[in-house]
Amino acid sequence: MKTFLRLAGLIRPFFWWMLLASIAGFAATGSGIGLLVTSAFIIAKAALQPPMAALQIGIAGIRFFGIARGVLRYAERLISHNTTFRILARLRLWFYDAVEPLAPARLLSFRSGDLLQRIVDDIQSLENIYVRVLAPPITAFMTAILVWALIGVWSPAAALVTLAFHLAAGIGLPMLTARLGRGINVSIMKLRALQQVQMVDFTQGIGELTVYGQLEGYRAGMQANEEEILRLQKKSSWIEGMQESMTGICMNGAVLGVLLVLLPEVPEGKLSGITLAVIMLAVMASFEAFAPLSAAAGRLEADIHAGDRLFEIIDAKPEVTAPAKPLPFPENHAICLRNLSFSYPGSTEKTLDGVTIDIPKGKHVAIVGPSGGGKSTVTSLLMRFWNTAPGELSIGETDISAFDPEELRRNMSLVSQRTYLFGETVRENLLLAKPDACEQDLVSALGSAGIGHFTKRLDNWVGQHGMQLSGGERQRIAIARMILQDAPVVILDEATASLDMPTERAVSRTIDALTAGKTLLTITHRLHGMERFDRIYVLDKGRVVEEGSHEELIQEKGLYQAMWSLQHMSAAPSS
Ligand code: ADP
């Protein structure tokens, strides 16, 4: 109920439009009643062979109601759909605005297919609430009052019979439909969400599935899901068919009931045959307003479920928010971690445990250590993907939370191991870093990143996730982005780890040349060319276990020296 009221509340700015749609709907149904009533009048009257002039008023009525019915129904659909689509467009923007700050921390628990389902299908299904749930009951109520009043003038008993069948079609049947269909549409929705997730996983993992021979098995799983959806859809169609025929039964019941009440009055002369025919058709036409109610009730549970899924995202609190009065990124942007600890939400283990690291402005610092030691977590905290506590993480002696996270990210270029390239052209992927870059900027960035030949391929499609490029080319595009962004701080998080050794060395040389004079933090577990760093921190199990220059650490004969020897021993035969 709470979700329904929240969804209904969204139409507040469009209240008058919705009311207008209901009135137009009522006027269209009223015209339908008028059309049948005047038709009944003409047919019944014509049977008595009156002079033509006596039929003129009826003929004019048919013309008027016939045209009015079509025009008013068109107006009702136009207004209600226009309003609904405007509400849905607002909802989509609202949803997107809510999703954006949740990335990446809060979105880790959602799968991309599921998010896609929410933003496309769930929002779309709310159309039902606005078009079929909110306006039609008002239309039906107004129509019913009109018909009761019309019939009541001739016979209160007939009006009561009509009321009883209206209640059955307008309240009883929707309740029955909702009860019979309970859970079905929600299950269809859940299975559709699963299908979406499966499709995304399937398209992204098709390479792995093929290599491991799991294509058939995966396809069978998707097929089973599809069959279950079909089974439930059949059930839902059955209920829909039942509900439509029950509405017809209610209509015919009302006609029969009213006939039984009024028929004896005709021979008594209390009611003319023509009036009886007019009343019969008015009763029949009034049910047009009740038909949509049961269908809407059958889907209501699923629509509310869709609303719940949307509000789950909209109500989620972002991990990191911008302060009310953010400070500008400081000129002296020395980065300082003091006794910093961090645990991921839901985990009791300390990923970082009292870490102290200094990265002075303009210096090149490396954090090295075994996998899982917490190195990338330092990057995530610096990029403000997560909040930090307890301990201190400051830039230019000001706590990191005093800056706007977006401003921070503009001033700190991150090149990570997993470069994400959009399925666009090389140009589009580069412009991400600097939307107003001119052709010359792009050419020079590509040249500096060592892929000058890409200038001829600027408008080539890079494939889904950049799959038409080699790993080295993708990393170099990431470096070209970094050059375009031209931030004072550069963070390289295992940026070259996925490259073969000669390419890695070439890319590292390029990066060194480009970051001269900038503040550089390199995170790596591969120890080569470490002499070029001003200071190296060794992170193991969330703690800084050693620090110093390459020579000092080799002298220390600790973890660093062990890692270095191991890597250089294994690298020796191939170099
Ligand atoms: P490194 O970069 O040194 O390999 P990470 O910082 O990536 O180490 O990871 C350190 C630990 O934190 C690992 O045990 C990893 O499983 C855990 N971890 C990393 N990211 C998350 C996350 N988003 N949620 C929960 N735990 C995480």
Side-chain angles (χ1 to χ4, degrees):
M1 193 62 185
K2 200 170 139 229
T3 308
F4 179 75
L5 291 179
R6 271 185 88 179
L7 289 169
L10 293 178
I11 64 158
R12 209 171 296 143
F14 302 98
F15 174 76
W16 294 110
W17 284 110
M18 275 297 188
L19 193 63
L20 193 63
S22 306
I23 292 171
F26 163 64
T29 313
S31 299
I33 295 173
L35 186 64
L36 279 190
V37 161
T38 42
S39 306
F41 169 76
I42 284 193
I43 295 166
K45 189 100 178 162
L48 303 176
Q49 297 183 332
M52 199 54 193
L55 299 178
Q56 280 306 331
I57 192 159
I59 294 169
I62 286 186
R63 276 203 204 118
F64 172 76
F65 287 124
I67 294 170
R69 185 179 183 231
V71 171
L72 287 166
R73 182 64 68 209
Y74 178 77
E76 182 250 328
R77 290 286 142 92
L78 191 69
I79 300 168
S80 64
H81 280 84
N82 184 30
T83 310
T84 300
F85 290 137
R86 277 161 59 196
I87 295 173
L88 296 190
R90 268 174 67 137
L91 209 58
R92 282 205 175 92
L93 287 178
W94 190 33
F95 184 78
Y96 185 79
D97 283 346
V99 165
E100 209 187 45
L102 298 182
R106 290 279 175 263
L107 293 188
L108 286 177
S109 49
F110 295 98
R111 298 169 80 177
S112 36
D114 181 46
L115 279 176
L116 198 66
Q117 165 94 3
R118 288 175 202 240
I119 201 161
V120 180
D121 293 347
D122 288 356
I123 290 185
Q124 193 63 42
S125 69
L126 294 183
E127 184 186 341
N128 184 54
I129 290 209
Y130 296 116
V131 177
R132 300 201 179 87
V133 175
L134 293 177
I138 302 173
T139 304
F141 186 61
M142 288 194 278
T143 309
I145 288 185
L146 173 76
V147 173
W148 302 334
L150 270 178
I151 302 174
V153 171
W154 301 103
S155 160
L160 274 178
V161 171
T162 314
L163 166 71
F165 281 98
H166 276 170
L167 287 179
I171 296 177
L173 197 50
M175 282 170 71
L176 179 70
T177 313
R179 194 177 168 76
L180 287 178
R182 187 174 292 164
I184 295 181
N185 284 318
V186 172
S187 300
I188 293 178
M189 203 169 225
K190 285 182 181 162
L191 289 169
R192 284 234 174 278
L194 178 64
Q195 191 179 43
Q196 201 84 255
V197 168
Q198 285 176 330
M199 286 306 277
V200 172
D201 277 352
F202 182 73
T203 44
Q204 290 183 351
I206 195 157
E208 272 74 5
L209 291 173
T210 312
V211 167
Y212 290 107
Q214 295 298 325
L215 218 48
E216 272 314 308
Y218 204 88
R219 211 181 283 156
M222 282 165 60
Q223 180 79 25
N225 193 30
E226 181 65 38
E227 276 162 17
E228 181 61 9
I229 292 176
L230 275 178
R231 191 185 68 79
L232 291 173
Q233 271 176 341
K234 266 190 205 156
K235 225 170 159 179
S236 162
S237 307
W238 182 88
I239 294 170
E240 217 171 283
M242 182 279 306
Q243 155 253 310
E244 276 174 22
S245 48
M246 290 287 278
T247 307
I249 289 173
C250 285
M251 182 187 77
N252 289 314
V255 169
L256 196 67
V258 171
L259 194 64
L260 287 177
V261 171
L262 294 182
L263 209 52
E265 296 190 7
V266 178
E268 289 168 17
K270 288 189 198 157
L271 195 71
S272 73
I274 295 176
T275 311
L276 179 65
V278 163
I279 290 175
M280 295 294 56
L281 286 187
V283 170
M284 198 183 269
S286 67
F287 279 84
E288 184 188 332
F290 290 88
L293 303 187
S294 303
R299 278 214 45 86
L300 190 59
E301 190 194 13
D303 298 331
I304 288 178
H305 179 66
D308 277 334
R309 279 164 53 87
L310 292 175
F311 288 133
E312 187 189 352
I313 299 267
I314 286 166
D315 295 342
K317 296 256 176 306
E319 169 72 17
V320 176
T321 47
K325 288 193 179 135
L327 296 180
F329 193 75
E331 179 60 32
N332 173 17
H333 52 253
I335 298 168
C336 185
L337 286 73
R338 283 268 169 283
N339 212 12
L340 187 70
S341 296
F342 179 76
S343 300
Y344 282 99
S347 163
T348 47
E349 264 178 46
K350 280 189 175 174
T351 305
L352 296 180
D353 187 5
V355 169
T356 296
I357 292 174
D358 275 310
I359 310 168
K361 182 185 173 190
K363 297 287 179 194
H364 288 193
V365 170
I367 303 180
V368 302
S371 279
K375 304 184 294 297
S376 296
T377 303
V378 172
T379 312
S380 301
L381 296 180
L382 275 174
M383 297 306 281
R384 295 287 278 139
F385 295 159
W386 300 94
N387 266 320
T388 54
E392 183 190 319
L393 174 54
S394 63
I395 298 183
E397 293 181 5
T398 305
D399 192 85
I400 197 162
S401 60
F403 305 105
D404 179 350
E406 283 193 23
E407 159 92 346
L408 215 56
R409 290 167 202 150
R410 269 195 294 278
N411 284 283
M412 298 202 287
S413 261
L414 171 67
V415 183
S416 75
Q417 187 178 358
R418 291 177 299 275
T419 296
Y420 187 89
L421 293 188
F422 287 87
E424 296 282 351
T425 59
V426 174
R427 183 190 300 277
E428 299 283 352
N429 274 293
L430 289 176
L431 289 178
L432 199 68
K434 188 180 179 192
D436 57 349
C438 65
E439 190 79 10
Q440 188 48 43
D441 292 339
L442 302 183
V443 170
S444 117
L446 286 171
S448 306
I451 42 171
H453 57 286
F454 264 65
T455 38
K456 289 199 198 83
R457 292 165 57 182
L458 264 176
D459 293 309
N460 283 14
W461 191 57
V462 298
Q464 187 68 18
H465 306 313
M467 286 318 231
Q468 290 187 8
L469 306 181
S470 73
E473 287 169 337
R474 282 203 293 274
Q475 282 313 86
R476 282 174 188 268
I477 288 192
I479 291 164
R481 276 181 184 164
M482 174 200 95
I483 297 165
L484 283 167
Q485 191 178 353
D486 193 26
V489 180
V490 174
I491 302 174
L492 306 174
D493 187 351
E494 305 277 11
T496 55
S498 60
L499 305 180
D500 58 89
M501 213 169 272
T503 314
E504 180 179 16
R505 297 214 164 142
V507 172
S508 297
R509 273 197 299 275
T510 311
I511 292 174
D512 281 348
L514 293 169
T515 52
K518 292 191 186 231
T519 307
L520 173 72
L521 171 64
T522 296
I523 285 170
T524 183
H525 67 278
R526 304 239 297 235
L527 309 182
H528 73 83
M530 300 307 289
E531 306 79 7
R532 64 192 201 277
F533 289 101
D534 297 301
R535 198 156 189 84
I536 301 166
Y537 290 86
V538 184
L539 203 57
D540 185 25
K541 299 192 185 82
R543 288 170 175 273
V544 173
V545 290
E546 291 166 25
E547 59 177 283
S549 65
H550 171 70
E551 287 75 21
E552 286 166 353
L553 291 173
I554 290 289
Q555 295 293 321
E556 228 171 85
K557 298 201 183 309
L559 178 61
Y560 181 86
Q561 196 270 340
M563 282 174 68
W564 192 85
S565 306
L566 205 63
Q567 289 184 19
H568 285 259
M569 256 193 314
S570 56
S574 61
S575 59

